[in-house]
Amino acid sequence: MTESASVIDVARRAGVSLGTVSNVLNRPERVAPATRERVRQAIEELEFVRNEAARQLRTGRSRTIGLIVLDVGNPFFTDLAAGVENAAEEAGLSVILCNSGNSATREDHYLSLLQEQRAYGILITPVTGKNDRIQELRARGMQVVLVDRGSAKRQCSVSVDDVVGGELAVAHLIAQGHERIAFVGGPVSINQVADRLVGARRAARSAGLPKTAIRLIRTPGLNVAAGRKTGEQIAGMPPRTRPTAVFCANDLLALGVLQEMTRRNLDVPGDLAIVGYDDIDFAAAAAVPLTSVRQPRAQLGHTAAELLIDEVSSPETHQHRQVVFEPELVVRESSDAKLST
Ligand code: RIB
């Protein structure tokens, strides 16, 4: 059996450098079409097969980015993952998606797995604000970029200003005349939830409303089931003390509250105005189109992946950046009756 051809054999057959062969394999868009064709012809004639294991041993890393998110059941994260995938594809890389399920234990398991698999680098929405495991991996040469989470100056991160997002949501409800507003979300140990609550309270303070104007209704999670349960709780309150509006920490919670209001024949926004966060596709498609604070989900993912690729491929020139996008309020029927057709 003839020994399998090497990259050197391909380069020699095509009359190009090893770097050109590597670019054809990993970044074909960087190679002139005629040269690219010559290399591909040599690969075919020599029946060359890339030896990924040998490449990993030589470079110390695979060509697969590890992406660890809190909840793959939340379209926010799958939309973000699509942005990561687009950037990875442009660079000739792949993506492995890991779901921590808001569990620090599972998050550590995936961090160890990605290290063992020599991941190209890691993008993560951490379960808690501080994870020693992440810093330990970075100290051992694994590049890690935080997504949907801010970071200190010495690390790259991509996030949205969730304090401003919370302020936009509640200022809108106050402008609609609401003075009894519930903030629905939790656990507040999740930084994004805590920041949105800070923004909500800041909006009430700026409008001269008392602290009691924002009633915190904690939830065990950020999903539809928790939203439905909260909707049941609110519907059971006496109308004279019941909140007239809710700002939910994300759209899944808001859609759960909306579903429960509809099931109980309570009018949205008449009996209860609802605002969510993320502006996932289901928000606009809801039975009562949902007002939401839009996060640029695919852009968050794409930007995070670009920062990671730059940090890995150009360590000598890379500058850590903490990219913060501005949120945008998208007003729909669930908070503004004037929009109801
Ligand atoms: O990452 C925590 C939350 O922030 C997620 O639920 C997602 O919806 C984003 O808004």
Side-chain angles (χ1 to χ4, degrees):
M1 180 180 133
T2 56
E3 196 176 314
S4 59
S6 71
V7 177
I8 296 170
D9 299 326
V10 172
R12 198 172 289 141
R13 171 70 67 95
V16 299
S17 71
L18 283 176
T20 300
V21 176
S22 172
N23 275 337
V24 169
L25 293 172
N26 302 310
R27 293 184 176 80
E29 73 287 352
R30 294 188 175 186
V31 182
T35 307
R36 201 160 56 212
E37 191 41 45
R38 271 211 332 271
V39 173
R40 284 190 174 143
Q41 199 171 337
I43 286 171
E44 202 173 305
E45 288 164 4
L46 294 169
E47 294 179 343
F48 166 77
V49 176
R50 185 198 325 227
N51 183 333
E52 183 57 19
R55 206 192 57 73
Q56 278 190 30
L57 283 173
R58 192 170 59 257
T59 61
R61 64 177 80 236
S62 72
R63 300 195 63 74
T64 301
I65 291 173
L67 170 61
I68 305 176
V69 298
L70 293 178
D71 175 10
V72 287
N74 181 345
F76 169 84
F77 290 107
T78 44
D79 292 346
L80 182 147
V84 170
E85 210 170 22
N86 287 341
E89 203 173 338
E90 288 162 12
L93 300 171
S94 307
V95 180
I96 179 170
L97 177 60
C98 306
N99 179 36
S100 66
N102 269 320
S103 154
T105 309
R106 279 178 66 177
E107 179 176 275
D108 282 349
H109 161 72
Y110 280 122
L111 287 169
S112 301
L113 176 76
L114 291 171
Q115 184 191 22
E116 287 155 22
Q117 298 294 321
R118 290 197 171 93
Y120 177 85
I122 295 174
L123 301 174
I124 181 169
T125 303
V127 171
T128 59
K130 189 173 176 332
N131 182 317
D132 296 336
R133 192 90 183 78
I134 292 176
Q135 299 318 320
E136 183 193 304
L137 279 180
R138 294 186 69 222
R140 296 169 68 175
M142 173 68 75
Q143 283 76 11
V144 180
V145 173
L146 302 187
V147 191
D148 187 29
R149 175 66 51 76
S151 72
K153 290 283 178 219
R154 60 185 184 286
Q155 182 169 15
C156 284
S157 64
V158 181
S159 60
V160 165
D161 189 330
D162 286 317
V163 174
V164 168
E167 196 170 13
L168 284 173
V170 171
H172 162 66
L173 288 169
I174 292 168
Q176 297 289 321
H178 296 288
E179 296 189 356
R180 288 204 312 273
I181 301 168
F183 177 89
V184 175
V188 285
S189 59
I190 295 181
N191 293 40
Q192 294 89 321
V193 176
D195 286 351
R196 291 164 200 173
L197 176 56
V198 166
R201 286 174 167 156
R202 191 162 76 181
R205 200 168 46 251
S206 306
L209 294 181
K211 263 191 168 180
T212 51
I214 305 294
R215 174 178 179 170
L216 173 57
I217 300 182
R218 295 173 189 271
T219 60
L222 294 160
N223 50 49
V224 173
R228 271 202 299 269
K229 200 144 182 57
T230 303
E232 192 181 324
Q233 186 185 346
I234 291 172
M237 293 173 185
R240 60 184 174 72
T241 58
R242 182 167 70 196
T244 60
V246 293
F247 165 42
C248 296
N250 78 357
D251 286 345
L252 296 184
L253 283 169
L255 292 170
V257 173
L258 174 60
Q259 192 180 45
E260 194 57 28
M261 291 300 118
T262 308
R263 199 175 71 80
R264 293 164 175 268
N265 297 318
L266 285 168
D267 183 72
V268 174
D271 295 318
L272 185 74
I274 302 175
V275 173
Y277 205 104
D278 294 337
D279 198 28
I280 59 177
D281 294 347
F282 293 120
V288 180
L290 183 67
T291 293
S292 185
V293 178
R294 174 174 295 163
Q295 294 207 73
R297 304 176 300 285
Q299 200 178 3
L300 279 167
H302 197 279
T303 304
E306 285 182 325
L307 287 172
L308 181 69
I309 292 164
D310 184 69
E311 186 172 350
V312 173
S313 59
S314 314
E316 65 288 345
T317 57
H318 176 73
Q319 299 283 329
H320 287 320
R321 289 175 58 206
Q322 294 72 43
V323 178
V324 181
F325 288 98
E326 287 304 311
E328 174 199 355
L329 180 69
V330 181
V331 180
R332 299 191 178 100
E333 286 86 326
S334 72
S335 68
D336 185 341
K338 295 191 296 300
L339 295 177
S340 302
T341 46

